[in-house]
Amino acid sequence: MTPLNNHYTRKLLAAALLAALSGSALADGILENRHVETRIYGFLNGEIESVKAVGGATPYASRGRISDGNSRIGFAGSIGLRGDVSGIWQIEGSLNNFDEGGVNGQGKSATIESRNTFVGIDSKRFGRFIVGNNDSVYRSLVGSGGALGGNLGLTVQGVDVWNNTSAQLSGNADSLFGRGEARYKNSAHYLSPEWRGFQAGASYGFDEQRSTGDDRARYSLAAKYSIGAFSIGAGYDRQQNTGVDVENLSKGFGMRNTSVSGVNTSFYKLLATYKFPTKTSLGLGFESGSYGYAVQSLPTPGNIYTSLTTGSMKQRSVMASLSQEVGYDVTVMLAAGKLGKLDNTTFAKPDDFGATQVSLGATYKIDEQFMPYVYFTRINNKAQQNVNLGQSPLHSNNSGKDDAFLAPGNSPRAFGFGFIARF
């Protein structure tokens, strides 16, 4: 399916939508005076692969499977208001795990609004302001999966050239890199206009529910600069009253974040990309995470009082990617990264939380709508680390349940080929 770029088709769709909301007479009046656009977009991305994870207490034996590569469908549009100001909207739904009927390895299913869904206002002069469920600017403006922003891997090359495949290195809390990148629910976002290659933004996610009694609001700031083939960006992300689950950490379940009163978790990162005249692209990234924690000490014979000790654990990661276009059709891509030691850990040794990952493969571009690809990725986790595959992660424990996880020390591998069809 091709995008609905035909002006008459867009007008009919917009008229139908407005008529349903306001009555056909009103819709016709609006369309006579305002420019209205509607489009449909998305992709399906499927992989045939062999996977395994060995080294931990509960290995994940080698097996074949069909995996989804973050497939999606979206509906977006704009309504001209006055001058260069437009009302904008988007509804984007996940088609993830279409191979499993829409249910992932934790037994969860997605909804039509599960991805970036928002309404707002846009102006070339004043920028864009939206509200809804959307990627933070730490991800959308300077994310590792697109051209210094977004989650557009295999569509637009970024620092992580394998984004939206099992071979990706970044983009979520279980990844080797980009662990602060997230989609904020119940959130507001602002992006400035681009001025001489510079653009900045801010995001804020409200914690309306406050189920733990604390305000776990989250915010991020980001900026990027592009000149010619070179781009550089920086971002900061902060989560209030959020820290390491030290109880599960001490049980050997790996490092997880949870609600912790009085501490915060934050990230900052630097990214850069450059495309040489030889059609060689280079990407570099650095990220630092600071994870708050609180430990309750028990009474002892010499001290009958309990006490609370707070602090922060720190961990850094780096990654690099290299891609080479060979003619019009083929692109060979390599990405590698390292997650360093966990300083100030309350359990095990700092070096036990390290990991490395290497991904290698190639794409074959038949046209703008269809592209096959082949890849291999290997993750090496230290004894207490459980970095997982970026898409369709492996769960060696409690598969199919909310608390499914990969055992620390298990090192995933994946080899396969896939097809991505865009529409």
Side-chain angles (χ1 to χ4, degrees), residues 91-378:
I91 302 172
E92 188 172 289
S94 174
L95 299 178
N96 275 6
N97 309 108
F98 70 87
D99 52 301
E100 296 280 2
V103 179
N104 67 14
Q106 294 178 310
K108 299 177 182 178
S109 58
T111 67
I112 189 62
E113 305 90 358
S114 59
R115 294 187 54 82
N116 293 334
T117 299
F118 59 80
V119 63
I121 194 165
D122 182 70
S123 165
K124 292 181 180 178
R125 184 178 178 186
F126 298 106
R128 167 180 290 203
F129 179 76
I130 61 173
V131 296
N133 176 41
N134 201 71
D135 290 345
S136 71
V137 293
Y138 192 86
R139 185 178 190 181
S140 65
L141 190 63
V142 292
S144 50
L148 279 197
N151 185 8
L152 305 170
L154 292 187
T155 302
V156 176
Q157 287 185 1
V159 174
D160 189 352
V161 291
W162 286 108
N163 185 250
N164 288 330
T165 72
S166 291
Q168 77 179 48
L169 280 73
S170 66
N172 57 64
D174 295 325
S175 296
L176 183 138
F177 187 82
R179 294 159 78 88
E181 297 181 18
R183 181 170 298 121
Y184 289 4
K185 297 179 181 179
N186 202 19
S187 59
H189 310 261
Y190 172 73
L191 284 176
S192 75
E194 186 174 331
W195 181 74
R196 296 186 178 181
F198 176 82
Q199 190 174 26
S203 299
Y204 190 89
F206 296 87
D207 181 13
E208 179 185 10
Q209 188 175 9
R210 301 199 183 184
S211 57
T212 63
D214 293 318
D215 182 3
R216 298 187 66 192
R218 186 170 182 175
Y219 68 87
S220 62
L221 304 169
K224 71 175 181 179
Y225 175 73
S226 299
I227 179 169
F230 175 74
S231 295
I232 186 169
Y236 176 78
D237 179 272
R238 183 179 177 89
Q239 305 166 62
Q240 297 179 186
N241 293 302
T242 301
V244 179
D245 186 341
V246 292
E247 180 179 355
N248 278 316
L249 183 73
S250 63
K251 292 178 180 178
F253 292 158
M255 198 178 76
R256 307 174 182 178
N257 269 6
T258 189
S259 172
V260 182
S261 298
V263 302
N264 301 289
T265 290
S266 61
F267 297 89
Y268 70 84
K269 69 179 175 183
L270 298 170
L271 302 173
T273 60
Y274 183 74
K275 188 168 185 177
F276 295 89
T278 57
K279 296 184 178 180
T280 305
S281 297
L282 175 66
L284 298 171
F286 168 83
E287 184 176 51
S288 177
S290 176
Y291 306 90
Y293 71 87
V295 176
Q296 187 80 42
S297 63
L298 298 176
T300 64
N303 184 359
I304 63 172
Y305 299 102
T306 62
S307 63
L308 186 68
T309 301
T310 62
S312 63
M313 306 179 194
K314 301 183 184 299
Q315 194 169 32
R316 299 170 181 83
S317 60
V318 294
M319 72 164 293
S321 64
L322 185 68
S323 64
Q324 176 65 58
E325 296 180 27
V326 183
Y328 170 79
D329 303 329
V330 177
T331 301
V332 180
M333 304 191 299
L334 169 68
K338 180 178 181 179
L339 181 64
K341 62 182 180 178
L342 182 65
D343 292 328
N344 302 326
T345 177
T346 58
F347 173 75
K349 300 176 181 179
D351 287 335
D352 289 343
F353 293 88
T356 59
Q357 184 176 359
V358 176
S359 297
L360 174 66
T363 62
Y364 179 71
K365 183 179 179 181
I366 294 178
D367 56 33
E368 295 296 332
Q369 276 70 48
F370 192 80
M371 184 172 70
Y373 58 93
V374 61
Y375 59 91
F376 171 77
T377 187
R378 175 173 178 165

Side-chain angles (χ1 to χ4, degrees), residues 363-418:
T363 62
Y364 179 71
K365 183 179 179 181
I366 294 178
D367 56 33
E368 295 296 332
Q369 276 70 48
F370 192 80
M371 184 172 70
Y373 58 93
V374 61
Y375 59 91
F376 171 77
T377 187
R378 175 173 178 165
I379 299 170
N380 286 326
N381 283 318
K382 294 291 185 67
Q384 298 300 325
Q385 187 54 259
N386 52 356
V387 168
N388 214 330
L389 300 178
Q391 299 296 328
S392 300
L394 306 182
H395 301 121
S396 59
N397 296 71
N398 303 335
S399 181
K401 300 179 181 179
D402 284 345
D403 59 349
F405 67 97
L406 178 69
N410 269 350
S411 294
R413 312 280 192 275
F415 170 74
F417 65 91

Side-chain angles (χ1 to χ4, degrees), residues 29-44:
I30 291 175
L31 286 172
E32 288 177 1
N33 299 296
R34 295 181 180 175
H35 182 66
V36 178
E37 290 189 353
T38 303
R39 65 187 179 95
I40 301 173
Y41 66 92
F43 62 78
L44 279 170

